[in-house]
């Protein structure tokens, strides 16, 4: 996997960008009316930044904690730590707008340094944005610079880049628990664990660039969640620094000693504290991996088959179902777009020491529900392209198309209604977009829906998507879905999250925020309504 810095105006390694295949260009022209191209990205040196608000005294104090070499104020460092990787984020960056840039980037090397930085920033009213891989797609890295508690304005904003905190601290072979630091990128974490014969088994689409701390802070869910669980299932303990002190959470796999405060930090997106260490459940590297494809006549029939596997087993390690449109476009196979065929594609993956038995048992269930086996080739194609979709988005933006994703989840009984509601909301807001969907994660009681939307850019593509997002959030709430299954809340979902929590829940969350971060410097405006 690439260890190169993220492309500042797009996704990942610039060397891996690709031209759109002709079937996709034709689809954009004929179906969506995209005439393109989109506006090219300005040169990095031309990106507009705000003036630095931090005075020399505060910068010197920051350097006194981490060392001067770990406090960065260069143009490039500030640009690279501006916003995340949502489509609106990228459209603004490509246009040269980095007016949300931090005033400085600070790289702590230990828990003690993080704690000291938070104490200093709280005292000086400097807003702090924890920064891992920078892959947020919900506005989770864009702080609100307006006055916080008490009405006093922030004196500046720093990005707290945790990339120096990147060690495997310890490994308990007997318990199968590894202690790792939050700045570890996922591929490096897998490399370190593989030396002990272990894996996390956590492979979200952001795998190449996201960090373990980001996984925990956003309640990430990987593509193999049917077998390994979500990332928050893997966290058995953590350490976090807050402006008012340190939290050491997790003494046992489960406990009846009151509410589990680990859950406060998991999904907190840096608004309640900064995770500085994670104790994670690990599993042996699987002896064998096999991925295969199945085809179902309709999305509803495919969903019934997935529900049967999730509820009664045997559950594959990877289990996902594309709807008719996504299958036709071939989005489950980004390396072979345009030739997906009819019906609905299921990708099922099996990992471990008893692949043959699991595959046979799951195959019997899929066949009984009307599935047609397609063999291993679709599975191999999916595996080759499983991290490629964000690169495709960059190519589509450059071609003049607005493309974005959104996701939600609900119980099985409500899934058809939720699916229809989101599709209708997108069609109503965007006219005639291409709307694709897949079930990406399954549980005994329900599943998630992951939508990809492509439409021709209008004169203001940022507002174009904002309008569509508002409509879909209203539709999700009306259909009984959750505001997010694994992308998080950030700023983009904050108001909808407040509606989901209800007034008492909002007040409880605000009370926790006020106790841990009384001056409101931690990622202000993110998560907490």
């Amino acid at each position: 996997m690439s260890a190169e810095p993220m492309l500042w105006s797009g996704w990942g390694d610039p060397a891996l960008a690709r031209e759109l295949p002709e079937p996709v260009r034709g689809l954009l022209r004929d179906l969506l009316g995209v005439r393109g191209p989109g506006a090219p990205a300005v040169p990095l040196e031309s990106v507009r930044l705000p003036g630095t608000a931090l005075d020399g005294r505060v910068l010197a104090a920051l350097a006194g904690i981490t060392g001067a070499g770990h406090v960065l104020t260069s143009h490039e460092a500030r640009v690279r730590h501006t916003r995340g990787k949502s489509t609106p984020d990228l459209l603004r960056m490509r246009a040269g707008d980095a007016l949300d840039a931090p005033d400085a980037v600070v790289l702590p090397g230990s828990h003690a340094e993080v704690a000291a930085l938070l104490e200093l920033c709280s005292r000086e009213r400097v807003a702090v944005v924890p920064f891992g891989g920078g892959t947020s797609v919900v506005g989770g890295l864009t702080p609100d610079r307006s006055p916080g508690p008490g009405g006093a304005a922030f004196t500046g904003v720093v990005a707290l880049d945790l990339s120096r905190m990147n060690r495997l601290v310890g490994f308990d072979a007997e318990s199968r628990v590894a202690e790792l630091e939050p700045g570890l990128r996922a591929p490096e974490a897998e490399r370190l664990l593989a030396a002990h014969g272990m894996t996390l088994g956590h492979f979200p689409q952001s795998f190449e660039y996201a960090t373990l701390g980001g996984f925990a802070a956003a309640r990430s869910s990987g593509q193999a969640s049917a077998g390994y669980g979500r990332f928050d299932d893997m966290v058995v303990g953590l350490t976090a620094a807050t402006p008012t002190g340190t939290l050491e959470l997790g003494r046992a796999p489960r406990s009846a000693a009151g509410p589990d405060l680990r859950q406060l930090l998991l999904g907190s997106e840096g608004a309640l504290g900064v995770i500085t260490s994670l104790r994670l459940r690990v599993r042996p590297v699987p002896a064998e991996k096999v991925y295969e494809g199945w085809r179902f006549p309709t999305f509803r029939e495919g969903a019934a088959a997935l529900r049967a596997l999730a509820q009664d087993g045997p559950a594959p390690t990877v289990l996902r179902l594309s709807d008719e449109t996504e299958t036709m476009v071939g989005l489950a196979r980004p390396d072979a777009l345009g030739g997906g065929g009819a019906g609905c594609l299921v990708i099922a993956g099996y990992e471990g020491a008893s692949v043959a038995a699991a595959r046979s048992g799951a195959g019997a269930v899929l066949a009984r529900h009307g599935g047609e086996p397609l063999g291993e080739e679709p599975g191999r194609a999916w595996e080759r392209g499983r991290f490629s979709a964000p690169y495709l988005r960059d190519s589509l933006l450059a071609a003049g198309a607005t493309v974005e994703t959104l996701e939600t989840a609900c119980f099985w009984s409500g899934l058809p209604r939720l699916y229809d509601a989101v599709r209708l909301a997108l069609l109503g807001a965007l006219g005639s977009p291409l709307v694709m969907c897949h079930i990406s994660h399954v549980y005994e009681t329900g599943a998630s829906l992951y939508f990809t939307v492509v439409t021709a850019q209008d004169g203001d593509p940022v507002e174009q998507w904002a309008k569509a997002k508002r409509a879909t959030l209203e539709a999700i709430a009306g259909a009984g879905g959750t505001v997010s299954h694994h992308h998080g809340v950030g700023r983009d979902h904050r108001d909808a999250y407040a509606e989901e929590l209800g007034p008492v829940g909002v007040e409880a969350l605000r009370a926790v925020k006020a106790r841990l971060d009384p001056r409101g410097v931690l990622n202000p405006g993110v998560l907490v309504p």
Side-chain angles (χ1 to χ4, degrees), residues 225-250:
S225 65
Y228 290 93
R230 295 164 53 96
F231 194 81
D232 41 326
D233 297 327
M234 303 174 190
V235 179
V236 298
L238 60 86
T239 303
T242 79
T244 56
T246 293
L247 289 167
E248 288 276 3
L249 303 173

Side-chain angles (χ1 to χ4, degrees), residues 179-396:
E179 182 176 359
L180 303 111
E181 291 185 318
L184 267 172
R185 278 190 185 178
E188 179 64 8
E190 286 296 320
R191 186 189 69 80
L192 292 171
L193 290 171
H196 297 273
M198 294 290 163
T199 179
L200 285 169
H202 190 72
F203 300 100
Q205 199 170 77
S206 60
F207 172 79
E208 295 168 300
Y209 286 92
T211 62
L212 302 188
F215 290 155
R219 290 189 184 271
S220 174
S221 192
Q223 294 167 343
S225 65
Y228 290 93
R230 295 164 53 96
F231 194 81
D232 41 326
D233 297 327
M234 303 174 190
V235 179
V236 298
L238 60 86
T239 303
T242 79
T244 56
T246 293
L247 289 167
E248 288 276 3
L249 303 173
R251 290 183 170 222
R254 293 288 187 272
S255 172
D260 186 351
L261 294 186
R262 285 174 293 193
Q263 301 304 318
L264 277 178
L265 276 298
L266 296 172
S268 64
E269 301 183 43
L272 303 180
V274 178
I275 296 170
T276 57
S277 179
L278 288 159
R279 291 171 292 286
L280 302 174
R281 178 206 72 201
V282 294
R283 290 179 177 167
V285 173
E288 186 180 4
K289 297 181 181 181
V290 174
Y291 304 102
E292 65 181 6
W294 289 74
R295 190 180 304 279
F296 282 82
T298 66
F299 191 57
R300 189 177 293 263
E301 289 169 291
L306 265 60
R307 178 170 64 85
L309 288 172
Q311 291 180 338
D312 302 318
T317 306
V318 172
L319 191 58
R320 52 197 292 124
L321 166 69
S322 294
D323 72 359
E324 290 88 347
T325 306
E326 186 170 289
T327 299
M328 179 270 294
V329 172
L331 197 63
R333 302 172 53 178
D335 60 343
L337 285 170
C344 295
L345 177 67
V346 165
I347 298 295
Y350 311 91
E351 302 181 10
S354 56
V355 163
R359 186 178 180 185
S360 174
V365 175
L366 293 168
R368 188 165 64 247
H369 282 79
E372 171 195 354
L374 302 178
E376 295 182 22
E377 194 280 328
R380 287 193 294 267
W382 170 82
E383 184 182 18
R384 286 193 302 269
R386 66 194 298 189
F387 306 128
S388 300
Y391 291 101
L392 174 63
R393 179 181 60 169
D394 286 356
S395 300
L396 288 166

Side-chain angles (χ1 to χ4, degrees), residues 137-161:
V137 292
V138 291
L141 302 174
T142 309
D144 186 346
R145 289 176 178 261
S146 61
F154 295 115
T155 60
V157 175
V158 299
L160 197 70
D161 186 320

Side-chain angles (χ1 to χ4, degrees), residues 367-511:
R368 188 165 64 247
H369 282 79
E372 171 195 354
L374 302 178
E376 295 182 22
E377 194 280 328
R380 287 193 294 267
W382 170 82
E383 184 182 18
R384 286 193 302 269
R386 66 194 298 189
F387 306 128
S388 300
Y391 291 101
L392 174 63
R393 179 181 60 169
D394 286 356
S395 300
L396 288 166
L397 288 176
T402 291
V403 55
E404 186 57 297
T405 62
L406 59 93
E407 42 78 36
T408 180
C410 72
F411 299 112
W412 286 111
S413 58
L415 210 65
R417 179 187 177 201
L418 182 61
Y419 173 79
D420 289 340
V422 173
R423 284 180 51 82
L424 288 172
L426 290 166
L427 292 168
L430 295 172
S432 300
L434 182 66
V435 181
M436 299 166 277
C437 180
H438 64 262
I439 292 176
S440 55
H441 307 277
V442 298
Y443 308 93
E444 289 185 46
T445 54
S448 68
L449 294 173
Y450 190 100
F451 292 86
T452 302
V453 190
V454 186
T455 192
Q457 289 182 14
D458 67 9
D460 186 351
V462 173
E463 177 54 33
Q464 178 188 29
W465 178 248
K467 175 185 174 183
K469 192 65 175 286
R470 289 191 294 269
T472 56
L473 288 173
E474 290 178 6
I476 287 169
T482 181
V483 66
S484 175
H485 173 264
H486 58 268
H487 282 170
V489 174
R491 292 182 67 177
D492 298 354
H493 296 161
R494 183 186 59 200
D495 294 343
Y497 176 53
E499 293 294 322
E500 188 171 317
L501 277 181
V504 175
V506 168
E507 289 305 313
L509 184 60
R510 287 174 177 166

